[in-house]
Amino acid sequence: MPSDSRRQDWRVLQAIFWLTSTVEGLGVSQIFDFLLSYLRGMGIAEPDRLQFVGLFGALIFVVGMPLVPLWGVWADKYSRKAVIIRSALVEATVLTAIALSREPWQLAASLLLVGFQLGNTGIMLAAIRDSAPRARIGMALGLFGSSGPVGFAAGPILGGIIVDTLRWGLPAMFAVSASLSTGTALLLALGSREVRPQVIPAGSTLALAFGAIRGVLADPPTRRIFGIFFVAFVANQVARPYLPVLVSQINGPAGEASAIGLVIGAAALFGALVGPAGGWLGDRLGYRPVLVAALLGTGVASLLMPAAPSIPVLALIALAAAALYATVAPMVFSLLATEVAPDRRSQTLNLVYLPLYFGGIVGPVIASQVVKAGLAAPFVLAAGVYLGGGLLVAVRRTGGGAGSGVVDDGLGVDPDRPPQRSVESRVG
C-alpha cells in the first residue's frame, strides 16, 4: 500500500493522533481512578478491595502484552491506520462493558478485554517519526507524549463532574467515555491518511514478531533503554493504583470523585504541560542527566505521598511527581527515535510500550501483596524502585554494543557530539 503521507501535513496527522491518545488515556485513567469506588458499589469488603485494585489493574495488561508485537507487524505489513482504529473501537467496547458490569467477575472480564485495545501508541509514534521532518522529531514526539497525561488528567476531572455534580453515577461516566472513543475512531477513519514505514517487512507474522523482539533484546543500548522504561513503569504501577485509595482515605466519602479529580487530574495535567519541556531540556543538557533527575525526584515524591496530612498537600506532591515522571517517556522516545537504525526503527518504536505492559502486570500484582502491610507500603516500595533505577542510570556508563551507532550507553547522548552511524544509517 503506498504512503499518503505526502498529501497530509505531518502536523495534522500529529493532531489527530494526539486527540486519539488523549481520549484513550481518559478512558484508561477512569478505570484506574474509580476502580475502588466501582468495587465498593458491588459490595466488596474493604480489605478485599485493596487487593482487588492491584490484581484487577494487572488484568488490563495480561492479554495485551503478548499481542503487542503482532499489532506492530500487522501495522507495518498492512495498515497502521487500521490497527490504530481497531484500538479506538475496542476501547469503546471495553468501556461499554464496564458500564454494564454489576458483578466483580463481569468487571474482571471487561478489564481482560483491554488487552485487545493496546498496541497502538508505538505505531502512532512510528508514523509521526516517519512523517515529521528530522529537525522537528524531538518536538513532535514531546508534544505527542503530552497526550497521555492530558487524557489522564481529563479522565478523573470529567468523572468528578459526572458523578458528584451531575449525579449520573459511575456507569454513566464509562458510557460517556465509550462514546468519545467511538468519536476518535471516526476521526481516524475520515481525517487521517496512511503513513507507511520506510522498510516494509516481508515474511510470516509470527516470524517477524519474534524477530522484532529478538532484534530489540540483541541490541545492548536498546535493551538498556527498555530496561529503564520497565523499571520506571513498575514503580509507577506499584503506587498508581493506590493513589485514589489514599485520596479517599484523606478526604472521606463525601465528594470523593471530585477529590480524586483534583489530585490526580491536576497532577496529570501539570505533567502534560511539563513533558515537552523535559524533551527540550534533554536536547540541551543530555538525556542521561535529565532521566536521572526525573527518576530520583519521582522517588522522593512517592516517599512523601503517604505522609501528606491533607488533600491540598497531597495534590502538591502529586503535581511534583507527575511533572518529574512525565519527563521519562520523552527521554526514551527521543533516544529510540534518533539512535535506532532506520531498518529497525519502526519495529523498535512499535515495541516501545512492551516494557510498560510487562510492568503493568508485575507492578500491580506486587502492590496487591505489599499493601497488606498498610496503604503506605506500595508508595515506599515505588520510591525504592525509582531511586534504585535513577542511581543505576547515574553510575552506569559503558560503551554501546557493536554496530549500535550510539556514542553513550544508550541512556544518555552528548547533545554536542553527533551519533556515530554507518553510511546506511545516515541515509534514513
Side-chain angles (χ1 to χ4, degrees), residues 117-310:
Q117 167 191 333
L118 304 176
N120 64 328
T121 304
I123 296 169
M124 288 189 283
L125 283 168
I128 292 172
R129 170 61 183 84
D130 287 342
S131 61
R134 175 64 182 83
R136 302 291 183 89
I137 290 174
M139 182 192 71
L141 296 181
L143 288 174
F144 177 78
S146 70
S147 60
V150 168
F152 271 75
I157 293 173
L158 178 62
I161 294 172
I162 292 175
V163 175
D164 287 339
T165 303
L166 300 178
R167 306 283 183 183
W168 289 356
L170 289 172
M173 177 192 71
F174 289 116
V176 169
S177 298
S179 67
L180 293 176
S181 295
T182 303
T184 59
L186 291 173
L187 176 63
L188 286 163
L190 301 176
S192 68
R193 294 187 175 92
E194 190 71 57
V195 178
R196 303 300 291 140
Q198 294 182 23
V199 180
I200 306 296
S204 70
T205 297
L206 287 177
L208 289 169
F210 286 117
I213 295 175
R214 283 196 302 269
V216 167
L217 295 179
D219 184 54
T222 304
R223 189 169 63 238
R224 284 193 286 271
I225 296 170
F226 272 45
I228 290 301
F229 215 6
F230 168 73
V231 168
F233 200 66
V234 165
N236 180 264
Q237 288 301 103
V238 166
R240 178 67 172 79
Y242 292 98
L243 184 53
V245 183
L246 185 60
V247 173
S248 178
Q249 184 183 80
I250 296 174
N251 183 80
E256 179 184 75
S258 296
I260 290 173
L262 171 65
V263 173
I264 300 177
L269 182 59
F270 189 61
L273 297 174
V274 172
W280 180 85
L281 283 174
D283 287 340
R284 284 151 182 79
L285 302 180
Y287 301 121
R288 186 168 178 262
V290 174
L291 184 58
V292 169
L295 291 171
L296 295 179
T298 311
V300 173
S302 298
L303 197 60
L304 295 174
M305 281 184 181
S310 64

Side-chain angles (χ1 to χ4, degrees), residues 22-67:
T22 298
V23 170
E24 181 180 36
L26 181 149
V28 173
S29 71
Q30 289 177 342
I31 295 173
F32 280 122
D33 297 337
F34 297 101
L35 185 57
L36 180 77
S37 302
Y38 216 48
L39 289 169
R40 182 188 297 125
M42 294 178 179
I44 305 299
E46 181 69 24
D48 293 332
R49 282 204 305 272
L50 291 179
Q51 287 189 269
F52 275 34
V53 164
L55 294 174
F56 277 30
L59 290 178
I60 293 175
F61 301 97
V62 167
V63 174
M65 190 179 68
L67 294 175

